[in-house]
């Protein structure tokens, strides 16, 4: 893998923070964006900006083609049955809210949904909002010491009122890669559909929604080298056809009168209003970036960074790493003794190292781990062993300072 060639595509990696070379290790929150994506955005704003799906004018048709090219590509990329199953949203959060609102409206009092304790707030709060409208029950799968789901408990939670499982593919705190294919098979055996929150999976591993047999799969463009403000909801046609629209407005209708409105076909039924068609068009270039490197190379490189760094951090007295599941993703959440995560993060920042501190939008998980927050370092394909070395040395210095 030509790591220098990859890094050259990301101008931000050349910048300084507090006079030091930037070492960007907050890729779980958002990844950086290669120039080809930025160029595609600029090109579209300067040459091809007209609203999509609005009639016969040339530029509008060109813009529509660019948007729909990404949709077709995304369908192939995820191995979806058809492009009608690809809905563009604002992000993982909106994708999950769409399902909670629309699929959720078909639930009845007494129905149950299975979640896990390691979910991001984006996969907790929408279901709680639904619970404030329907008297549903949320069942929660716990984790073991290593940060793996307790699958015995998972299997025991199904009953005749279970209507949905909603679980993350990869934990944004622990890095655990959940056995979602098996979990989906278990749910389907009980006649229950499954939503997978793939926000932390798609940037790092190949996802095939047909092989997984996922009913819904949600993720964000900005975490996978694409533009901000765009998400994808994959949904099986059989569900999307049954589900009512999420939002009302332009684009999502077939015919409107004051008495009655009929809705557009899939996927447009779920895409009210003007989408971020510029960003959607540019997302295609992020897929080029990933495809050029290949997931095998991405996984191997990130795994090397993870094992190299974890091994060395573990030698630091008082080091506590949260999430040690085999095959985990390249996310390291840690604390040093009982030092506050915020102090560790501040001291790392003075050395040019961007990590994340806090609860990582996973407060129930923090409670289960018995901590208020952690420091989280997360890798992307452009990170290097030299950066890992600098990060390890910086953590060693911080540990010595706080001793
Ligand atoms: N789900 C997981 C597992 C995440 O890590 C995140 C973001 O960090 C989200 C959902 C929410 O993503 P977004 O803010 O892009 O909607």
């Amino acid at each position: 893998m030509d790591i220098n060639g990859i890094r050259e595509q990301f101008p931000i990696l050349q910048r300084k923070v507090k006079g030091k070379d930037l070492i960007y290790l907050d890729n779980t929150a958002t990844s950086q964006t290669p120039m080809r994506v930025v160029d595609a955005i600029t090109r579209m704003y300067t040459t091809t900006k007209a609203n999509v799906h609005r009639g016969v004018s040339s530029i509008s048709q060109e813009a529509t083609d660019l948007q729909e090219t990404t949709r077709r590509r995304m369908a192939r990329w995820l191995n979806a049955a058809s492009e009608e199953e690809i809905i563009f949203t604002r992000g993982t959060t909106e994708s999950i809210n769409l399902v909670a609102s629309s699929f959720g409206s078909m639930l009845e009092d007494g129905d149950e949904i299975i979640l896990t304790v390691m979910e991001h707030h984006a996969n907790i709060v929408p279901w709680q909002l639904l619970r404030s409208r329907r008297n549903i029950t949320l069942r929660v799968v716990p984790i073991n010491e290593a940060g793996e789901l307790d699958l015995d408990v998972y299997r025991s939670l199904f009953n005749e009122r279970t209507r949905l499982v909603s679980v993350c593919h990869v934990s944004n705190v622990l890095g655990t890669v959940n056995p979602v294919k098996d979990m989906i098979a278990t749910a389907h055996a009980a006649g229950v559909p499954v939503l997978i929150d793939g926000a932390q999976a798609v940037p790092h591993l190949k996802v095939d929604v047909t092989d997984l047999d996922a009913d819904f799969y949600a993720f964000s463009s900005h975490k996978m080298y694409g533009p901000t403000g765009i998400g994808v909801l994959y949904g099986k046609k059989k569900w999307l056809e049954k589900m009512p629209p999420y939002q009302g407005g332009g684009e999502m209708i077939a015919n409107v009168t004051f008495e009655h409105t009929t809705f557009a076909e899939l996927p447009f039924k779920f895409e009210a209003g003007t989408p971020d068609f510029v960003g959607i068009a540019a997302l295609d270039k992020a897929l080029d970036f990933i495809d050029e490197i290949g997931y095998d190379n991405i996984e191997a490189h990130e795994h090397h960074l993870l094992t190299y760094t974890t091994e060395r951090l573990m030698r630091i007295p008082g080091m506590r790493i949260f999430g040690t599941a085999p095959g985990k993703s390249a996310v390291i959440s840690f604390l040093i003794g009982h030092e506050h995560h915020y102090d560790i993060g501040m001291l790392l920042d003075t050395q040019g190292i961007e990590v994340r501190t806090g609860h990582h939008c996973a407060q129930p998980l923090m409670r289960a781990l018995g901590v208020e927050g952690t420091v989280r370092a997360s890798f992307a394909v452009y990170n290097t062993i030299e950066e890992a070395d600098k990060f390890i040395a910086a953590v060693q210095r911080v540990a010595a300072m706080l001793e």
Side-chain angles (χ1 to χ4, degrees):
M1 212 176 72
D2 174 15
I3 190 79
N4 291 330
I6 290 172
R7 288 179 70 80
E8 277 166 12
Q9 300 180 47
F10 295 84
I12 195 170
L13 298 179
Q14 305 307 319
R15 72 161 279 184
K16 307 261 181 209
V17 170
K18 309 244 159 72
K20 305 270 174 27
D21 289 341
L22 164 67
I23 296 178
Y24 185 77
L25 299 179
D26 196 11
N27 295 288
T28 298
T30 195
S31 64
Q32 298 303 335
T33 313
M35 267 323 281
R36 70 181 83 189
V37 173
V38 180
D39 288 342
I41 293 170
T42 309
R43 207 164 39 244
M44 194 145 177
Y45 273 120
T46 49
T47 65
T48 326
K49 186 167 181 241
N51 212 332
V52 288
H53 294 294
R54 303 283 160 99
V56 295
S57 73
S58 297
I59 301 183
S60 169
Q61 284 191 18
E62 285 172 32
T64 305
D65 280 351
L66 285 167
Q67 170 175 293
E68 295 308 317
T69 297
T70 301
R71 195 190 310 272
R72 279 193 295 279
R73 169 99 180 265
M74 187 58 81
R76 283 197 309 276
W77 208 70
L78 294 170
N79 197 24
S82 101
E83 65 212 61
E84 294 170 302
E85 299 183 320
I86 305 297
I87 298 160
F88 289 116
T89 62
R90 286 190 301 122
T92 312
T93 303
E94 190 177 45
S95 295
I96 298 174
N97 274 280
L98 189 161
V99 179
S101 166
S102 172
F103 180 89
S105 72
M106 305 191 301
L107 300 191
E108 290 171 5
D109 288 358
D111 285 346
E112 300 189 3
I113 294 177
I114 299 176
L115 307 176
T116 86
V117 75
M118 65 168 79
E119 298 312 315
H120 187 281
H121 295 162
N123 196 22
I124 299 174
V125 184
W127 307 111
Q128 292 175 327
L129 293 177
L130 173 62
R131 188 173 58 186
S132 64
R133 297 193 295 275
R134 296 269 190 285
N135 191 15
I136 58 164
T137 301
L138 303 178
R139 305 260 175 220
V140 181
V141 184
I143 51 170
N144 64 17
E145 278 283 298
E148 297 162 303
L149 292 175
D150 186 329
L151 295 176
D152 288 333
V153 174
Y154 171 63
R155 283 185 283 269
S156 75
L157 292 180
F158 287 89
N159 61 45
E160 70 285 351
R161 297 313 301 265
T162 311
R163 293 290 173 265
L164 185 76
V165 173
S166 194
V167 56
C168 61
H169 197 162
V170 176
S171 160
N172 67 318
V173 174
L174 306 164
T176 311
V177 181
N178 289 320
V180 289
K181 187 171 173 180
D182 291 347
M183 293 176 77
I184 290 169
T186 302
H188 286 177
V192 175
V194 181
L195 185 161
I196 303 293
D197 170 355
Q200 299 302 341
V202 170
H204 309 289
L205 52 96
K206 179 79 195 143
V207 170
D208 179 329
V209 290
T210 301
D211 179 55
L212 291 177
D213 204 14
D215 298 277
F216 302 100
Y217 199 99
F219 56 97
S220 301
S221 151
H222 70 97
K223 295 183 195 287
M224 54 182 294
Y225 311 105
T228 58
I230 296 160
V232 172
L233 176 68
Y234 159 80
K236 275 187 188 162
K237 196 171 169 185
K238 71 166 184 185
W239 292 116
L240 296 178
E241 276 179 339
K242 281 195 197 114
M243 287 159 51
Y246 166 54
Q247 294 178 329
E251 304 262 341
M252 52 75 74
I253 54 86
N255 190 49
V256 179
T257 66
F258 276 104
E259 289 71 39
H260 183 65
T261 290
T262 53
F263 304 118
E265 298 292 315
L266 289 175
F268 307 108
K269 177 172 100 176
F270 290 105
E271 293 182 358
T274 301
D276 182 355
F277 54 87
V278 174
I280 294 169
L283 172 57
D284 189 52
K285 305 294 174 235
L287 302 190
D288 283 346
F289 172 77
I290 292 175
D291 281 350
E292 261 175 43
I293 302 171
Y295 274 113
D296 288 349
N297 290 325
I298 293 175
E299 277 191 67
H301 179 65
E302 292 179 354
H303 181 71
H304 179 47
L305 290 168
L306 174 72
T307 49
Y308 181 93
T309 309
T310 305
E311 225 176 275
R312 283 154 183 80
L313 287 182
M314 286 303 286
R315 295 181 200 148
I316 298 172
M319 177 57 59
R320 301 157 67 196
I321 293 182
F322 301 90
T324 54
K328 70 178 270 197
S329 185
V331 179
I332 306 175
S333 286
F334 68 97
L335 287 173
I336 306 168
H338 292 283
E339 299 302 338
H340 201 273
H341 51 86
Y342 186 72
D343 294 335
I344 303 169
M346 284 260 290
L347 289 168
L348 288 174
D349 186 62
T350 61
Q351 302 177 61
I353 293 165
E354 296 274 310
V355 290
R356 183 59 154 246
T357 60
H359 55 63
H360 316 298
C361 298
Q363 283 181 336
L365 175 59
M366 292 297 126
R367 237 161 259 129
L369 296 173
V371 297
E372 194 192 303
T374 70
V375 183
R376 182 184 69 187
S378 51
F379 296 102
V381 70
Y382 42 66
N383 290 123
T384 63
I385 287 291
E386 292 72 41
E387 288 183 312
D389 277 331
K390 285 186 188 163
F391 167 63
I392 295 156
V395 179
Q396 284 165 341
R397 274 194 293 278
V398 169
M401 270 184 242
L402 293 173
E403 221 174 301

